[in-house]
Amino acid sequence: MLRFSLQVWMLLLLHPGTFSDEDIRGCQQLPCQNGGVCESHNGAFRCLCSQQRQNGRLYGGENCSTALSACDDNQCENGGVCSPSLVNDQHACLCLPGFAGPRCQTPTVFSLESRGFMYVETQLLDQGVPLNVTFSFRTARPVGTLLQRRVDDLLLSIELTDGHLSLRSLRGQGSSTLVQELPEHLSGNKWHTVEASLGGVVSLIRLLCTEGNCTRDHSAKVQLLEPASALPEAGAVRQSLFIGAVGGSRASARAAGEAGYPPSFLGCFRDVFVDSRLVWPAVSAEASDVQENITAGCSDKDKCEDGPCQNRGRCVSRGWRSYRCECHRPYEGTNCEDEYITARFGNKDLESYAVFSLDDDPNDAVTISMFIRTRQASGILLILANSTSQYLRLWQEEGRVKVQVNNFETLIGRGAVNDGHFHLVTVKLEGMAAVLIQSAQSRGSMPIRPIRTHPGDLVFVGGLLDARASASFGGYFKGCVQDLRINSKPLQFYPIATPVESYSLERLVNVARGCSSENACAVNPCLNGGVCYSMWDDFICNCPPNTAGQRCEEVLWCELSPCPAMAVCQPLSQGFECLSNVTFSVESSVLHYQTNGQIKRGLRSVSLRFRTRQASATLIHAQRDSDYLSVSLLNAHVVMELQSGAGKDLHKATVQSKGLIRDGEWHTLALSMENQTLSTSRWILTVDGEEKERGVSTTAAGNLDFIREGADIFLGGLSVDTGVNLTGCLGPVEIGGLALPFYLNTELKLPRPQGEKFARTNAGREPRHGCWGASVCAPNPCNNQGVCEDLFDLHRCTCSSEWTGPLCQHPTDSCFSSPCVFGHCTNVPGAFECACEPGFSGERCEVEVDMCEYSRCSQGASCLRGFKSYACLCPQNLTGEYCEKKIPEVPWYIETNPLPQLPVSTCTGTRWDYSCFNGGNCSEADDSCFCPSGFTGQWCEKDVDECVSDPCMNGGFCINYVNSFECVCDMNYSGVHCQIDVSDFYLYLFLGLWQNLFQLVSYLVIRLDDEPEIDWGFYIND
């Protein structure tokens, strides 16, 4: 819409045409060509030429017939519209808002993305003449100061308040007065064009247009306002104009230390004209104070997308082109660009400390935090003190942080901080509790009495003024401290560029800037050709091959393979030993040793390994004058004899092992003084480290220091002259931790470098290295293809299954070991067979058989277990072998005598207890019972049924009793077995009874005839 209006007006201005002298009817002749529009005017006509190209060209002139070529190579930039002219083939560029210049090449848009301003140098006007300013702006923030105009002591400012544009005035030191406020809301991130008249009699502002309905006057030529060269000194000018917000007095000139700033405008300006001259920011590579934080262009892109926060700071967007950086410690500043300066304490071991004073009250809750870096295990970190006491102490002890409150409550951290890395240490004192935090992890807490800080209290960092007082808490700190804070308020040893409110530094002694390291390699601490590399307050040695240790002080002698092939190299702190075993026999020589005269340590122990089948032999013997030590085998027991001293100071001790030692196995023997701090003590002998084999001498004796004073030491015998009396092997032998070598120095590839050592003196017959027993299996002593096993001076034959005996000389008796547990063993070829006793089964008759497991006793019966069989104990209503038969019930009309309740006896059997039922008595034969008459079975469990033989005749019913029976006979029979026929007797008895009954009836009839009649009727009362 804007471009169309511009094109129409351009057509009217540049190509007005000429009015014809002809009548209005001239337009009827269509005089305008190339799309021109004819327009009648005051009796004439004129042609309005089309701005649409005709055949690729624009046309002008009276009849729009003249071709215009000035815009063929359009030279207008930034979307400007080219307007050709008939005069001298010239053109003009109609610029879009935000651009100016002959070719629209100059952008007029600039922005304030943070607090800033631009000083505009204006002509000095009379006090009654206003300054006219026209500008467009765009913002999303509801507040901000856009312009400030000062005339003498009057300050006029155009501000946004709650999204409304207002004009305010301030005279002198008075209060600000609202002059005018526009009703429109102008903080909607759209372009608004405002005209202002500032100064003079009346000052006012007017909203010209809003984005979408603005037109631009292109008739006037744009003039640029020369930028100011410098910000004038205070009081040097009477009138000034600032775009943006500055301090109250800076609107007139430079001011130092101004605290009160009006709200800053954050947004964009466009087409700013001051008295019809275009204002454009200064473009210079050199720093200038006439403008601050002015940026060309206008962008509403979130500045957090550009990552402005440095050093891992977190960017938080705060609206249009505004942000805030949340900095990680130890960084500070708008963009976290400043790092709190580290303070170095104890450099070159100097006594260093810092003293701060508290200038405010940190309240009841106190939080102290700092980064520390040290390799020192102890030292003062921080002490809070008032005029009377030190009420909070932080120091290092054994590498851990220690906190003490009120000289009483103490808390020790759980983790060390002296590893040379930075650690954030925080102590929180809140109410009745103290918490220690290291590197964001809680390291402990404790209850405390509340503390209270006051202005004027002192903070000592790194140490106290007095060296002796500092020594009570580990001495002066050696290391680095950074970003020390009390309740988020820093204590700066050296201030950073960013203005930060900090506690006051009172004293700084020998505290260096930064965290430099001492050159630990200056004294060349690496030995044996090691190369030193310096670390922070430490060093590391790159050791050559075959050396080790922090300073390359340890030579890895064993990696040089100094020992013979059959020996094993054992590294020592200052050398090596070649360990091996040595074999002694009647052909061997006794090994003789002496010290090298450099042994300084006390000799209070002996250890050795040995292997033999001898019952008596000498293992080690050492003697000097009357002092001697002898360790030998006597009757297969290890015996130690020790004698030291002379005269009244003569001490002798003997100790013997408890168990027998002649099995040909390796055994380890250890001898030591019970109390090695005393000159005399009882001696302890231990074999194979077992307490049960531990022996203790009954008397005390001295140590073995006489050995280091020139004593002769012999292995395998009492001396070289007496010869060897040991047949077996010795392993490593040590006296006081020093080995007796089995090799001469000439047999080693390298001499042993250690200072304290024993040396072998006899270079005669060499000992036989390794452990070798007699050839007991050559030839094979085992008969019948038995395999011989060498058990060191003893053999064992492993025979085939058909042979046995020490030499496999006897046929195998498989039953010799009685393999049948409960049975009789019978030899069969290559094996045996077991005939099991009753009640047992299995290959070796080891399984006891439960005869009742598969019993056939009926339900309700009890199974009685025997060795070979079982029996069933029946209830009263059942009988039979398995209680499977039911006893017939006795008819109801037959009376029976109750059965007696017979006792049950409990008996002790050969394998288990058993019971005798029905009054039976225990028998020792076969776990059985003596049964009373009428009962049978192994345990008297069966009642003999006398009715089984049917003793009752003629249909008599038999009743079974204990050891008896009873026949209940039919009425025609009688007798014990119902054998007597009594049928005639009953006939006569029946006739007699019938006769008596007839006589009784006759008598009653006669008596009834003689009695009076009786009325038997019944009456019912109504």
Side-chain angles (χ1 to χ4, degrees):
M1 179 66 185
L2 178 61
R3 177 171 293 189
F4 176 75
S5 300
L6 291 173
Q7 290 172 348
V8 172
W9 283 106
M10 179 183 67
L11 177 63
L12 295 176
L13 292 173
L14 298 180
H15 309 289
T18 57
F19 292 98
S20 174
D21 293 335
E22 299 180 3
D23 187 59
I24 193 173
R25 290 177 295 176
C27 283
Q28 296 178 353
Q29 298 178 6
L30 303 177
C32 301
Q33 303 176 24
N34 298 309
V37 178
C38 184
E39 184 181 81
S40 298
H41 186 72
N42 294 331
F45 73 90
R46 65 177 178 179
C47 290
L48 302 179
C49 299
S50 175
Q51 290 301 301
Q52 302 296 325
R53 292 181 178 271
Q54 306 294 323
N55 301 319
R57 187 172 296 278
L58 295 175
Y59 291 88
E62 180 180 358
N63 297 323
C64 302
S65 58
T66 303
L68 303 178
S69 60
C71 289
D72 287 351
D73 53 349
N74 186 8
Q75 299 179 9
C76 300
E77 302 175 8
N78 299 309
V81 177
C82 182
S83 175
S85 173
L86 285 173
V87 181
N88 297 327
D89 198 22
Q90 296 180 353
H91 72 280
C93 289
L94 307 182
C95 301
L96 295 178
F99 298 96
R103 297 189 307 276
C104 305
Q105 77 279 9
T106 304
T108 65
V109 180
F110 59 92
S111 59
L112 285 85
E113 298 178 356
S114 59
R115 175 181 292 276
F117 65 90
M118 181 171 64
Y119 172 66
V120 181
E121 192 172 27
T122 61
Q123 295 180 356
L124 185 62
L125 302 176
D126 293 335
Q127 189 172 4
V129 178
L131 182 70
N132 296 315
V133 182
T134 305
F135 62 92
S136 298
F137 74 94
R138 172 190 176 191
T139 186
R141 291 171 59 88
V143 296
T145 300
L146 285 76
L147 290 174
Q148 290 181 305
R149 164 69 170 169
R150 177 173 290 277
V151 179
D152 295 329
D153 64 343
L154 175 64
L155 176 65
L156 298 171
S157 61
I158 300 177
E159 302 176 4
L160 270 175
T161 306
D162 295 329
H164 296 277
L165 197 66
S166 62
L167 176 62
R168 309 186 71 90
S169 67
L170 174 65
R171 186 176 295 277
Q173 300 300 322
S175 58
S176 177
T177 303
L178 179 64
V179 177
Q180 181 186 359
E181 184 178 78
L182 301 181
E184 294 85 359
H185 190 274
L186 305 181
S187 59
N189 208 15
K190 290 185 177 182
W191 286 105
H192 305 281
T193 303
V194 177
E195 182 182 40
S197 178
L198 304 176
V201 178
V202 177
S203 298
L204 56 87
I205 56 174
R206 180 166 64 98
L207 178 65
L208 297 180
C209 61
T210 300
E211 182 179 348
N213 60 6
C214 291
T215 60
R216 189 173 184 183
D217 183 10
H218 296 277
S219 59
K221 185 177 181 180
V222 175
Q223 295 182 357
L224 292 178
L225 183 65
E226 291 294 330
S229 59
L231 191 66
E233 297 293 336
V237 295
R238 295 178 48 250
Q239 301 176 5
S240 62
L241 176 64
F242 283 88
I243 299 175
V246 293
S249 62
R250 288 196 62 176
S252 61
R254 180 185 290 109
E258 187 69 34
Y261 278 87
S264 60
F265 172 78
L266 300 181
C268 300
F269 285 97
R270 186 179 72 184
D271 300 336
V272 179
F273 290 90
V274 176
D275 283 340
S276 301
R277 288 182 295 174
L278 180 64
V279 175
W280 175 242
V283 180
S284 176
E286 300 179 357
S288 174
D289 59 354
V290 298
Q291 62 186 42
E292 184 177 306
N293 295 329
I294 300 294
T295 305
C298 180
S299 172
D300 57 359
K301 177 184 176 182
D302 187 357
K303 292 205 78 171
C304 284
E305 295 181 10
D306 299 330
C309 301
Q310 305 174 27
N311 299 306
R312 300 179 298 109
R314 177 174 174 265
C315 186
V316 179
S317 180
R318 302 182 65 184
W320 188 89
R321 300 294 286 173
S322 178
Y323 66 93
R324 177 174 57 87
C325 288
E326 296 179 351
C327 302
H328 291 284
R329 297 181 66 177
Y331 297 99
E332 193 65 80
T334 304
N335 295 325
C336 307
E337 70 279 6
D338 279 341
E339 180 180 3
Y340 281 102
I341 298 173
T342 307
R344 169 69 176 182
F345 289 79
N347 197 21
K348 298 181 180 180
D349 295 326
L350 294 175
E351 297 177 354
S352 57
Y353 58 90
V355 183
F356 295 86
S357 63
L358 301 183
D359 51 15
D360 60 1
D361 187 352
N363 301 320
D364 295 335
V366 177
T367 299
I368 299 173
S369 61
M370 70 183 105
F371 287 96
I372 64 171
R373 183 184 188 186
T374 182
R375 292 191 185 274
Q376 187 173 272
S378 60
I380 295 176
L381 296 175
L382 182 142
I383 291 179
L384 268 174
N386 52 30
S387 58
T388 59
S389 66
Q390 300 170 1
Y391 55 87
L392 175 63
R393 299 188 181 104
L394 274 76
W395 75 96
Q396 283 181 275
E397 188 173 286
E398 296 180 353
R400 297 184 296 174
V401 176
K402 195 169 184 179
V403 182
Q404 187 179 77
V405 182
N406 295 320
N407 296 318
F408 180 71
E409 299 96 344
T410 303
L411 173 64
I412 302 178
R414 292 192 291 267
V417 296
N418 61 334
D419 56 1
H421 299 288
F422 273 104
H423 293 270
L424 178 59
V425 177
T426 304
V427 177
K428 291 185 177 181
L429 308 175
E430 187 171 4
M432 306 287 288
V435 180
L436 175 61
I437 302 172
Q438 291 175 202
S439 301
Q441 293 184 352
S442 177
R443 295 298 184 183
S445 61
M446 65 175 178
I448 61 170
R449 292 171 294 165
I451 68 170
R452 180 78 179 182
T453 60
H454 298 87
D457 289 355
L458 297 180
V459 183
F460 297 89
V461 183
L464 297 170
L465 305 181
D466 181 40
R468 290 199 301 174
S470 299
S472 302
F473 304 98
Y476 288 96
F477 175 69
K478 183 175 182 179
C480 299
V481 177
Q482 185 181 23
D483 194 5
L484 172 61
R485 301 186 186 187
I486 298 181
N487 287 0
S488 301
K489 188 174 180 180
L491 292 79
Q492 296 193 74
F493 304 97
Y494 295 94
I496 59 176
T498 300
V500 180
E501 185 181 2
S502 305
Y503 286 111
S504 176
L505 176 64
E506 300 294 335
R507 197 170 183 181
L508 197 65
V509 178
N510 294 327
V511 178
R513 184 187 184 103
C515 191
S516 60
S517 172
E518 294 183 351
N519 184 10
C521 291
V523 295
N524 193 17
C526 303
L527 305 176
N528 296 311
V531 179
C532 182
Y533 293 96
S534 182
M535 301 171 61
W536 188 86
D537 269 14
D538 201 358
F539 65 92
I540 186 171
C541 292
N542 185 10
C543 300
N546 307 318
T547 61
Q550 184 182 6
R551 303 175 56 213
C552 309
E553 70 277 8
E554 301 175 11
V555 178
L556 305 179
W557 294 101
C558 289
E559 294 190 6
L560 300 175
S561 303
C563 298
M566 293 190 65
V568 176
C569 184
Q570 181 185 40
L572 304 177
S573 60
Q574 297 296 330
F576 67 93
E577 286 290 354
C578 295
L579 304 182
S580 68
N581 302 322
V582 66
T583 302
F584 288 90
S585 62
V586 292
E587 296 87 5
S588 304
S589 299
V590 173
L591 300 183
H592 182 206
Y593 297 88
Q594 286 185 337
T595 70
N596 65 345
Q598 299 181 19
I599 297 179
K600 304 300 181 184
R601 70 178 68 185
L603 304 180
R604 292 170 175 81
S605 64
V606 177
S607 66
L608 60 89
R609 296 184 74 233
F610 67 95
R611 182 184 190 186
T612 186
R613 290 192 180 275
Q614 279 184 284
S616 298
T618 300
L619 300 177
I620 181 173
H621 181 79
Q623 186 164 1
R624 178 181 177 275
D625 298 332
S626 62
D627 298 335
Y628 70 89
L629 165 72
S630 181
V631 180
S632 58
L633 288 171
L634 181 63
N635 298 326
H637 291 276
V638 177
V639 178
M640 183 211 77
E641 293 183 8
L642 174 61
Q643 178 176 299
S644 61
K648 295 182 179 179
D649 296 329
L650 179 66
H651 300 281
K652 186 174 182 180
T654 302
V655 61
Q656 177 177 306
S657 66
K658 297 180 180 179
L660 298 177
I661 303 175
R662 54 179 303 180
D663 54 2
E665 299 293 333
W666 280 106
H667 295 280
T668 301
L669 176 67
L671 289 163
S672 62
M673 297 180 69
E674 186 177 39
N675 190 336
Q676 298 190 6
T677 61
L678 301 177
S679 59
T680 60
S681 169
R682 296 193 302 173
W683 280 76
I684 300 173
L685 183 150
T686 306
V687 178
D688 296 331
E690 297 184 3
E691 286 294 323
K692 64 181 181 180
E693 295 294 332
R694 185 173 183 265
V696 182
S697 64
T698 57
T699 59
N703 53 38
L704 306 178
D705 288 348
F706 69 89
I707 294 179
R708 69 185 184 185
E709 297 170 0
D712 294 304
I713 308 168
F714 303 98
L715 296 182
L718 293 174
S719 67
V720 175
D721 297 332
T722 59
V724 172
N725 62 7
L726 169 65
T727 300
C729 300
L730 283 180
V733 181
E734 292 184 355
I735 300 176
L738 299 176
L740 300 180
F742 296 151
Y743 291 94
L744 297 170
N745 284 336
T746 57
E747 299 177 274
L748 305 180
K749 300 177 184 179
L750 294 172
R752 295 180 297 153
Q754 57 264 35
E756 295 181 311
K757 58 188 174 183
F758 291 100
R760 216 182 92 201
T761 60
N762 56 336
R765 179 181 295 179
E766 289 297 320
R768 189 181 184 189
H769 293 285
C771 187
W772 309 92
S775 299
V776 293
C777 288
N780 189 357
C782 304
N783 301 317
N784 300 306
Q785 299 181 347
V787 178
C788 180
E789 182 181 0
D790 191 340
L791 301 178
F792 187 76
D793 290 346
L794 182 70
H795 74 273
R796 180 172 60 192
C797 291
T798 303
C799 307
S800 61
S801 60
E802 293 83 5
W803 299 95
T804 186
L807 300 177
C808 305
Q809 71 274 24
H810 301 298
T812 301
D813 181 7
S814 302
C815 293
F816 178 75
S817 61
S818 301
C820 302
V821 181
F822 295 103
H824 176 69
C825 180
T826 303
N827 279 304
V828 298
F832 63 89
E833 288 183 353
C834 292
C836 300
E837 297 177 5
F840 293 93
S841 65
E843 183 179 354
R844 297 178 179 271
C845 303
E846 74 280 8
V847 180
E848 185 177 1
V849 178
D850 186 359
M851 303 303 295
C852 285
E853 184 176 1
Y854 301 103
S855 72
R856 296 172 57 187
C857 297
S858 64
Q859 188 173 6
S862 299
C863 181
L864 303 178
R865 182 177 61 166
F867 296 153
K868 300 180 181 180
S869 61
Y870 66 93
C872 297
L873 179 64
C874 302
Q876 290 185 357
N877 61 336
L878 298 176
T879 188
E881 182 179 3
Y882 304 113
C883 306
E884 76 281 6
K885 297 178 181 180
K886 190 171 183 180
I887 299 176
E889 295 183 1
V890 179
W892 61 272
Y893 53 83
I894 297 177
E895 294 184 2
T896 60
N897 296 324
L899 296 176
Q901 297 294 324
L902 300 177
V904 178
S905 301
T906 301
C907 307
T908 302
T910 56
R911 298 184 192 167
W912 57 74
D913 294 345
Y914 65 95
S915 298
C916 292
F917 300 92
N918 299 310
N921 295 319
C922 301
S923 172
E924 296 181 358
D926 298 331
D927 291 344
S928 60
C929 302
F930 293 114
C931 300
S933 300
F935 294 95
T936 187
Q938 184 176 354
W939 302 284
C940 308
E941 76 278 2
K942 296 294 184 184
D943 181 10
V944 177
D945 191 357
E946 284 80 8
C947 292
V948 172
S949 61
D950 290 331
C952 299
M953 304 168 61
N954 299 310
F957 186 83
C958 182
I959 300 176
N960 180 43
Y961 290 110
V962 176
N963 199 27
S964 65
F965 69 92
E966 178 185 2
C967 289
V968 179
C969 303
D970 186 76
M971 63 183 301
N972 296 321
Y973 296 92
S974 182
V976 176
H977 298 283
C978 302
Q979 74 276 13
I980 303 174
D981 186 358
V982 292
S983 58
D984 295 338
F985 172 76
Y986 287 112
L987 177 61
Y988 293 135
L989 179 61
F990 174 75
L991 292 176
L993 291 174
W994 176 255
Q995 183 179 4
N996 292 333
L997 180 61
F998 180 78
Q999 292 176 352
L1000 177 61
V1001 172
S1002 299
Y1003 175 76
L1004 293 174
V1005 171
I1006 295 173
R1007 291 290 297 172
L1008 289 173
D1009 291 339
D1010 295 337
E1011 293 292 329
E1013 293 183 358
I1014 299 173
D1015 187 1
W1016 297 96
F1018 294 95
Y1019 298 93
I1020 301 174
N1021 293 328
D1022 296 333

